[in-house]
Amino acid sequence: MSSLSRELVFLILQFLDEEKFKETVHKLEQESGFYFNVKYFEEKVHAGEWDEVERYLSGFTKVDDNRYSMKIFFEIRKQKYLEALDRHDRAKAVDILVKDLKVFSTFNEELYKEITQLLTLENFRENEQLSKYGDTKSARSIMLIELKKLIEANPLFREKLVFPTLKASRLRTLINQRLKLAASTL
């Protein structure tokens, strides 16, 4: 996409944000892939809105793009799995294991076996590595710290984590200037 298209997308994002079109802003961020809104991502992780977390993330990277991306998706899906286990929702946990986590078994079969073994425990905290897993809220916060480090280190997110500095209402100003110019030439 051209530099002009990119600049236009940022102007539109700014306008949509100023006009409080929140869902549209995040959809355009995701579809354009120009700006990864870390604050929005954090909100969705804290809320445990895993489908939206992955949908938003997919505008910027896929599971198999690189090792950082793989680790990001793995951590999100593992958290989703642990939360299902914590709720004693075995059916959901198995579903996540088969549909979401199975893809990682080709890269680390042993880890996948360990995760599968958690199903056999009454409380997954009986596993030594997960003994310090606290409540859902604190686990999400700890995971988010790791995710942010992975996102910052991931080359696919380079130059997508900072929104460019634009004067307030820049798109509206440009349109008004153009309209004044057009009116003066009539």
Side-chain angles (χ1 to χ4, degrees):
M1 205 176 265
S2 73
S3 172
L4 178 60
S5 296
R6 187 178 162 83
E7 287 178 42
L8 281 171
V9 168
F10 281 118
L11 287 171
I12 293 166
L13 282 170
Q14 179 195 38
F15 173 79
L16 292 170
D17 186 57
E18 289 170 349
E19 296 297 317
K20 308 282 187 258
F21 290 108
K22 296 296 179 197
E23 286 181 38
T24 309
V25 166
H26 302 307
K27 190 68 178 164
L28 182 56
E29 289 166 352
Q30 176 204 335
E31 286 185 359
S32 71
F34 290 149
Y35 174 64
F36 184 82
N37 189 325
V38 176
K39 188 172 180 282
Y40 174 73
F41 183 73
E42 286 176 3
E43 288 170 13
K44 295 303 168 188
V45 167
H46 281 299
E49 294 179 28
W50 305 120
D51 290 342
E52 178 54 23
V53 167
E54 284 207 33
R55 193 172 15 260
Y56 187 72
L57 202 52
S58 71
F60 303 88
T61 188
K62 304 289 179 267
V63 174
D64 57 359
D65 279 345
N66 60 40
R67 63 188 176 94
Y68 300 106
S69 298
M70 185 177 295
K71 182 88 168 116
I72 291 166
F73 280 98
F74 175 76
E75 290 301 323
I76 290 166
R77 293 173 183 184
K78 182 180 80 173
Q79 180 63 31
K80 188 164 89 166
Y81 176 67
L82 293 175
E83 287 181 21
L85 288 175
D86 208 22
R87 290 189 310 270
H88 301 288
D89 188 346
R90 296 266 190 256
K92 183 66 176 168
V94 169
D95 188 56
I96 294 165
L97 191 63
V98 172
K99 290 182 180 168
D100 297 339
L101 288 167
K102 182 77 174 147
V103 67
F104 301 103
S105 68
T106 56
F107 305 101
N108 191 335
E109 184 68 36
E110 199 54 43
L111 181 61
Y112 185 73
K113 285 178 185 172
E114 285 177 36
I115 289 173
T116 304
Q117 288 296 313
L118 297 177
L119 281 169
T120 65
L121 303 174
E122 185 58 37
N123 181 342
F124 66 82
R125 289 171 186 83
E126 293 169 24
N127 177 297
E128 189 181 331
Q129 292 166 319
L130 295 169
S131 61
K132 290 183 175 45
Y133 184 98
D135 63 296
T136 299
K137 186 177 180 184
S138 61
R140 288 177 183 171
S141 294
I142 291 165
M143 178 193 63
L144 196 52
I145 292 166
E146 178 69 16
L147 292 180
K148 286 166 66 175
K149 287 178 187 172
L150 290 166
I151 287 167
E152 288 172 12
N154 192 330
L156 295 174
F157 288 85
R158 232 169 252 137
E159 299 179 21
K160 294 180 181 183
L161 299 175
V162 178
F163 197 86
T165 306
L166 302 171
K167 291 180 183 170
S169 304
R170 185 72 183 129
L171 182 60
R172 192 181 307 273
T173 303
L174 290 171
I175 291 170
N176 284 336
Q177 286 173 348
R178 182 67 185 117
L179 290 173
K180 285 179 188 172
L181 182 65
S184 69
T185 58
L186 294 177

mmCIF file of all heavy atoms in Angstrom, residues 95-115:
data_model
loop_
_atom_site.group_PDB
_atom_site.id
_atom_site.type_symbol
_atom_site.label_atom_id
_atom_site.label_comp_id
_atom_site.label_asym_id
_atom_site.label_seq_id
_atom_site.Cartn_x
_atom_site.Cartn_y
_atom_site.Cartn_z
ATOM 1 N N ASP A 95 -12.142 -29.335 24.042
ATOM 2 C CA ASP A 95 -12.391 -28.639 22.776
ATOM 3 C C ASP A 95 -11.219 -27.700 22.439
ATOM 4 O O ASP A 95 -10.733 -27.684 21.311
ATOM 5 C CB ASP A 95 -13.713 -27.862 22.878
ATOM 6 C CG ASP A 95 -14.133 -27.272 21.552
ATOM 7 O OD1 ASP A 95 -14.252 -28.042 20.566
ATOM 8 O OD2 ASP A 95 -14.344 -26.035 21.489
ATOM 9 N N ILE A 96 -10.758 -26.941 23.427
ATOM 10 C CA ILE A 96 -9.626 -26.019 23.229
ATOM 11 C C ILE A 96 -8.351 -26.805 22.926
ATOM 12 O O ILE A 96 -7.587 -26.441 22.031
ATOM 13 C CB ILE A 96 -9.435 -25.115 24.480
ATOM 14 C CG1 ILE A 96 -10.636 -24.194 24.643
ATOM 15 C CG2 ILE A 96 -8.139 -24.322 24.379
ATOM 16 C CD1 ILE A 96 -10.723 -23.523 26.005
ATOM 17 N N LEU A 97 -8.164 -27.897 23.640
ATOM 18 C CA LEU A 97 -6.990 -28.743 23.445
ATOM 19 C C LEU A 97 -6.928 -29.265 22.007
ATOM 20 O O LEU A 97 -5.892 -29.184 21.348
ATOM 21 C CB LEU A 97 -7.031 -29.915 24.431
ATOM 22 C CG LEU A 97 -5.790 -30.770 24.558
ATOM 23 C CD1 LEU A 97 -4.626 -29.952 25.090
ATOM 24 C CD2 LEU A 97 -6.066 -31.958 25.465
ATOM 25 N N VAL A 98 -8.054 -29.754 21.509
ATOM 26 C CA VAL A 98 -8.120 -30.360 20.172
ATOM 27 C C VAL A 98 -8.113 -29.315 19.062
ATOM 28 O O VAL A 98 -7.398 -29.446 18.073
ATOM 29 C CB VAL A 98 -9.363 -31.275 20.060
ATOM 30 C CG1 VAL A 98 -9.562 -31.762 18.645
ATOM 31 C CG2 VAL A 98 -9.243 -32.444 21.033
ATOM 32 N N LYS A 99 -8.898 -28.253 19.225
ATOM 33 C CA LYS A 99 -9.050 -27.258 18.151
ATOM 34 C C LYS A 99 -7.989 -26.166 18.156
ATOM 35 O O LYS A 99 -7.585 -25.693 17.096
ATOM 36 C CB LYS A 99 -10.430 -26.613 18.224
ATOM 37 C CG LYS A 99 -11.564 -27.541 17.853
ATOM 38 C CD LYS A 99 -12.890 -26.822 17.892
ATOM 39 C CE LYS A 99 -14.032 -27.757 17.515
ATOM 40 N NZ LYS A 99 -15.322 -27.156 17.829
ATOM 41 N N ASP A 100 -7.553 -25.746 19.345
ATOM 42 C CA ASP A 100 -6.658 -24.586 19.431
ATOM 43 C C ASP A 100 -5.200 -24.937 19.725
ATOM 44 O O ASP A 100 -4.291 -24.305 19.208
ATOM 45 C CB ASP A 100 -7.149 -23.608 20.509
ATOM 46 C CG ASP A 100 -8.520 -23.022 20.204
ATOM 47 O OD1 ASP A 100 -8.922 -23.031 19.029
ATOM 48 O OD2 ASP A 100 -9.184 -22.557 21.147
ATOM 49 N N LEU A 101 -4.993 -25.917 20.587
ATOM 50 C CA LEU A 101 -3.626 -26.217 21.018
ATOM 51 C C LEU A 101 -2.955 -27.322 20.209
ATOM 52 O O LEU A 101 -1.731 -27.409 20.186
ATOM 53 C CB LEU A 101 -3.614 -26.573 22.507
ATOM 54 C CG LEU A 101 -3.863 -25.387 23.443
ATOM 55 C CD1 LEU A 101 -4.153 -25.855 24.860
ATOM 56 C CD2 LEU A 101 -2.689 -24.429 23.431
ATOM 57 N N LYS A 102 -3.701 -28.139 19.531
ATOM 58 C CA LYS A 102 -3.154 -29.270 18.768
ATOM 59 C C LYS A 102 -2.123 -28.811 17.736
ATOM 60 O O LYS A 102 -1.132 -29.484 17.489
ATOM 61 C CB LYS A 102 -4.301 -30.037 18.090
ATOM 62 C CG LYS A 102 -3.859 -31.253 17.304
ATOM 63 C CD LYS A 102 -3.544 -32.412 18.220
ATOM 64 C CE LYS A 102 -3.261 -33.653 17.396
ATOM 65 N NZ LYS A 102 -2.284 -34.509 18.018
ATOM 66 N N VAL A 103 -2.342 -27.636 17.144
ATOM 67 C CA VAL A 103 -1.440 -27.100 16.125
ATOM 68 C C VAL A 103 0.000 -26.986 16.654
ATOM 69 O O VAL A 103 0.960 -27.108 15.891
ATOM 70 C CB VAL A 103 -1.943 -25.732 15.590
ATOM 71 C CG1 VAL A 103 -1.872 -24.650 16.648
ATOM 72 C CG2 VAL A 103 -1.153 -25.292 14.376
ATOM 73 N N PHE A 104 0.160 -26.810 17.958
ATOM 74 C CA PHE A 104 1.491 -26.646 18.543
ATOM 75 C C PHE A 104 2.187 -27.979 18.799
ATOM 76 O O PHE A 104 3.386 -28.003 19.039
ATOM 77 C CB PHE A 104 1.409 -25.836 19.840
ATOM 78 C CG PHE A 104 0.822 -24.470 19.626
ATOM 79 C CD1 PHE A 104 -0.494 -24.199 19.991
ATOM 80 C CD2 PHE A 104 1.558 -23.456 19.035
ATOM 81 C CE1 PHE A 104 -1.052 -22.949 19.776
ATOM 82 C CE2 PHE A 104 1.015 -22.199 18.816
ATOM 83 C CZ PHE A 104 -0.294 -21.946 19.178
ATOM 84 N N SER A 105 1.451 -29.068 18.730
ATOM 85 C CA SER A 105 2.035 -30.387 19.015
ATOM 86 C C SER A 105 3.109 -30.764 17.999
ATOM 87 O O SER A 105 4.052 -31.467 18.335
ATOM 88 C CB SER A 105 0.949 -31.469 19.057
ATOM 89 O OG SER A 105 0.397 -31.658 17.774
ATOM 90 N N THR A 106 3.002 -30.279 16.777
ATOM 91 C CA THR A 106 4.007 -30.586 15.760
ATOM 92 C C THR A 106 5.348 -29.910 16.069
ATOM 93 O O THR A 106 6.383 -30.360 15.619
ATOM 94 C CB THR A 106 3.541 -30.167 14.348
ATOM 95 O OG1 THR A 106 3.212 -28.791 14.373
ATOM 96 C CG2 THR A 106 2.341 -30.990 13.900
ATOM 97 N N PHE A 107 5.303 -28.837 16.853
ATOM 98 C CA PHE A 107 6.521 -28.105 17.191
ATOM 99 C C PHE A 107 7.115 -28.583 18.511
ATOM 100 O O PHE A 107 8.322 -28.521 18.705
ATOM 101 C CB PHE A 107 6.253 -26.601 17.253
ATOM 102 C CG PHE A 107 5.656 -26.072 15.994
ATOM 103 C CD1 PHE A 107 4.288 -25.813 15.898
ATOM 104 C CD2 PHE A 107 6.444 -25.868 14.872
ATOM 105 C CE1 PHE A 107 3.733 -25.348 14.716
ATOM 106 C CE2 PHE A 107 5.896 -25.411 13.690
ATOM 107 C CZ PHE A 107 4.532 -25.152 13.609
ATOM 108 N N ASN A 108 6.227 -29.022 19.432
ATOM 109 C CA ASN A 108 6.707 -29.478 20.730
ATOM 110 C C ASN A 108 5.737 -30.538 21.263
ATOM 111 O O ASN A 108 4.835 -30.230 22.039
ATOM 112 C CB ASN A 108 6.833 -28.298 21.694
ATOM 113 C CG ASN A 108 7.583 -28.664 22.957
ATOM 114 O OD1 ASN A 108 7.620 -29.818 23.366
ATOM 115 N ND2 ASN A 108 8.183 -27.655 23.578
ATOM 116 N N GLU A 109 5.953 -31.760 20.835
ATOM 117 C CA GLU A 109 5.080 -32.882 21.199
ATOM 118 C C GLU A 109 5.059 -33.101 22.714
ATOM 119 O O GLU A 109 4.006 -33.361 23.297
ATOM 120 C CB GLU A 109 5.552 -34.161 20.486
ATOM 121 C CG GLU A 109 4.660 -35.360 20.708
ATOM 122 C CD GLU A 109 3.283 -35.237 20.070
ATOM 123 O OE1 GLU A 109 3.171 -34.654 18.974
ATOM 124 O OE2 GLU A 109 2.314 -35.715 20.680
ATOM 125 N N GLU A 110 6.205 -32.947 23.350
ATOM 126 C CA GLU A 110 6.302 -33.173 24.798
ATOM 127 C C GLU A 110 5.447 -32.169 25.572
ATOM 128 O O GLU A 110 4.741 -32.532 26.508
ATOM 129 C CB GLU A 110 7.773 -33.079 25.240
ATOM 130 C CG GLU A 110 8.064 -33.706 26.565
ATOM 131 C CD GLU A 110 7.612 -35.162 26.678
ATOM 132 O OE1 GLU A 110 7.819 -35.938 25.721
ATOM 133 O OE2 GLU A 110 7.033 -35.516 27.716
ATOM 134 N N LEU A 111 5.527 -30.911 25.179
ATOM 135 C CA LEU A 111 4.730 -29.871 25.836
ATOM 136 C C LEU A 111 3.240 -30.149 25.664
ATOM 137 O O LEU A 111 2.453 -29.995 26.603
ATOM 138 C CB LEU A 111 5.088 -28.493 25.270
ATOM 139 C CG LEU A 111 4.359 -27.296 25.882
ATOM 140 C CD1 LEU A 111 4.662 -27.190 27.378
ATOM 141 C CD2 LEU A 111 4.778 -26.010 25.181
ATOM 142 N N TYR A 112 2.861 -30.566 24.479
ATOM 143 C CA TYR A 112 1.454 -30.882 24.221
ATOM 144 C C TYR A 112 0.994 -32.036 25.124
ATOM 145 O O TYR A 112 -0.110 -31.995 25.666
ATOM 146 C CB TYR A 112 1.235 -31.224 22.740
ATOM 147 C CG TYR A 112 -0.213 -31.445 22.389
ATOM 148 C CD1 TYR A 112 -1.099 -30.363 22.325
ATOM 149 C CD2 TYR A 112 -0.700 -32.711 22.135
ATOM 150 C CE1 TYR A 112 -2.448 -30.556 22.019
ATOM 151 C CE2 TYR A 112 -2.042 -32.919 21.822
ATOM 152 C CZ TYR A 112 -2.903 -31.835 21.761
ATOM 153 O OH TYR A 112 -4.229 -32.033 21.468
ATOM 154 N N LYS A 113 1.830 -33.033 25.304
ATOM 155 C CA LYS A 113 1.500 -34.160 26.194
ATOM 156 C C LYS A 113 1.326 -33.675 27.633
ATOM 157 O O LYS A 113 0.404 -34.109 28.334
ATOM 158 C CB LYS A 113 2.580 -35.240 26.130
ATOM 159 C CG LYS A 113 2.537 -36.064 24.862
ATOM 160 C CD LYS A 113 3.665 -37.087 24.848
ATOM 161 C CE LYS A 113 3.710 -37.833 23.522
ATOM 162 N NZ LYS A 113 4.882 -38.691 23.410
ATOM 163 N N GLU A 114 2.215 -32.779 28.058
ATOM 164 C CA GLU A 114 2.122 -32.233 29.421
ATOM 165 C C GLU A 114 0.809 -31.477 29.618
ATOM 166 O O GLU A 114 0.157 -31.619 30.649
ATOM 167 C CB GLU A 114 3.294 -31.296 29.704
ATOM 168 C CG GLU A 114 4.607 -32.000 29.957
ATOM 169 C CD GLU A 114 5.755 -31.011 30.157
ATOM 170 O OE1 GLU A 114 5.539 -29.936 30.759
ATOM 171 O OE2 GLU A 114 6.876 -31.328 29.700
ATOM 172 N N ILE A 115 0.453 -30.674 28.629
ATOM 173 C CA ILE A 115 -0.789 -29.907 28.714
ATOM 174 C C ILE A 115 -1.985 -30.859 28.750
ATOM 175 O O ILE A 115 -2.931 -30.651 29.508
ATOM 176 C CB ILE A 115 -0.894 -28.917 27.533
ATOM 177 C CG1 ILE A 115 0.104 -27.789 27.712
ATOM 178 C CG2 ILE A 115 -2.293 -28.357 27.411
ATOM 179 C CD1 ILE A 115 0.204 -26.864 26.537
#
